[in-house]
Amino acid sequence: MLVQQRSSQIKGFTLIEILMVIVVIGFMVAAVQLNFFSNKSEQQVTEEATRFAGMFNLAADFGLLNNIEIGLYVEENSYQFLGYDGSRWTNLPNEKTFERYTLADDITISLSFDGLAPEENTLVDRELFIPDEEQVSAMEDALEKEQKLIIPQVYLLTGGEITPFKATFATTEQNSETFSINVIGKFYTPVALEQQEQVQNN
């Protein structure tokens, strides 16, 4: 009887927990690879870009498994993943993993979309998600006091499609060279890191 009670209390891992373990392992692998870099700024940029790619893929899987539209909102030194509740974009409930993340000092992130999308509209065309004035007004009315209206720049649909984008992580040090890494997303996950770039400043 005691054995039965103990066995009934044993719980397995959820799929999202397993995915989190995979992301953590990815971070550990990236950390090992960072030992080959001599420049601290390059290490940080590589680490931040690797983390972003892992979190983006995890967010896409989360949205797919839970049938939730996910949006990526990027500022100069931070990013976060939001869910659409039918009226506005908001933090995913009970999912602190996807809340606003601030990059390490002296590192910025920027998004670009030029040349990544086809000429014809697709389900993930950014133009289809830009709300008009009436929709913006409705979203603002749904906000609680002191909340900020956030409209994502990249969208992750429940069917697995994503807005094509390029996220560039770069150092902001005032020296002769700027180091950057691109994370490329092309319609479907997983996103991938592009070769490191070393730019000579004038």
Side-chain angles (χ1 to χ4, degrees):
M1 185 68 175
L2 183 59
V3 174
Q4 291 179 346
Q5 289 178 344
R6 287 180 177 176
S7 62
S8 64
Q9 294 175 352
I10 298 176
K11 297 182 179 179
F13 294 103
T14 64
L15 187 54
I16 194 67
E17 289 173 334
I18 295 174
L19 291 172
M20 277 298 299
V21 171
I22 294 174
V23 171
V24 170
I25 292 174
F27 293 160
M28 293 174 63
V29 172
V32 172
Q33 293 176 338
L34 291 178
N35 291 329
F36 293 97
F37 292 94
S38 58
N39 187 294
K40 182 179 178 181
S41 296
E42 294 181 12
Q43 291 181 14
Q44 289 182 323
V45 172
T46 303
E47 185 177 33
E48 293 289 9
T50 302
R51 181 191 190 279
F52 172 83
M55 293 307 301
F56 190 96
N57 293 331
L58 180 63
D61 290 339
F62 180 86
L64 185 64
L65 293 170
N66 293 277
N67 197 34
I68 299 175
E69 307 289 354
I70 304 292
L72 168 68
Y73 179 69
V74 172
E75 295 181 286
E76 185 179 16
N77 67 336
S78 68
Y79 60 88
Q80 61 183 304
F81 295 93
L82 307 164
Y84 189 68
D85 65 3
S87 61
R88 63 190 175 96
W89 293 95
T90 183
N91 288 332
L92 295 164
N94 304 318
E95 293 296 337
K96 292 187 177 181
T97 303
F98 303 118
E99 290 183 357
R100 185 174 182 267
Y101 174 79
T102 302
L103 300 175
D105 294 340
D106 301 324
I107 296 177
T108 61
I109 175 176
S110 59
L111 289 175
S112 60
F113 307 93
D114 294 341
L116 295 171
E119 294 182 1
E120 297 181 3
N121 287 344
T122 67
L123 290 176
V124 288
D125 192 322
R126 293 181 64 248
E127 300 298 326
L128 300 177
F129 291 89
I130 298 176
D132 56 29
E133 292 183 4
E134 184 177 343
Q135 291 171 318
V136 169
S137 178
M139 288 181 180
E140 290 176 336
D141 291 340
L143 293 175
E144 297 178 5
K145 189 177 180 180
E146 297 183 355
Q147 279 188 316
K148 175 184 176 182
L149 177 62
I150 298 178
I151 300 175
Q153 301 103 327
V154 176
Y155 302 93
L156 300 77
L157 304 187
T158 55
E161 302 92 346
I162 64 174
T163 305
F165 72 96
K166 178 171 72 174
T168 301
F169 291 78
T171 58
T172 58
E173 291 183 346
Q174 300 299 318
N175 54 23
S176 59
E177 292 183 340
T178 299
F179 181 79
S180 67
I181 296 180
N182 296 323
V183 178
I184 306 295
K186 295 183 178 180
F187 301 103
Y188 293 94
T189 52
V191 296
L193 270 67
E194 196 176 58
Q195 184 176 0
Q196 298 93 345
E197 297 181 357
Q198 204 94 23
V199 179
Q200 189 78 25
N201 294 332
N202 296 325

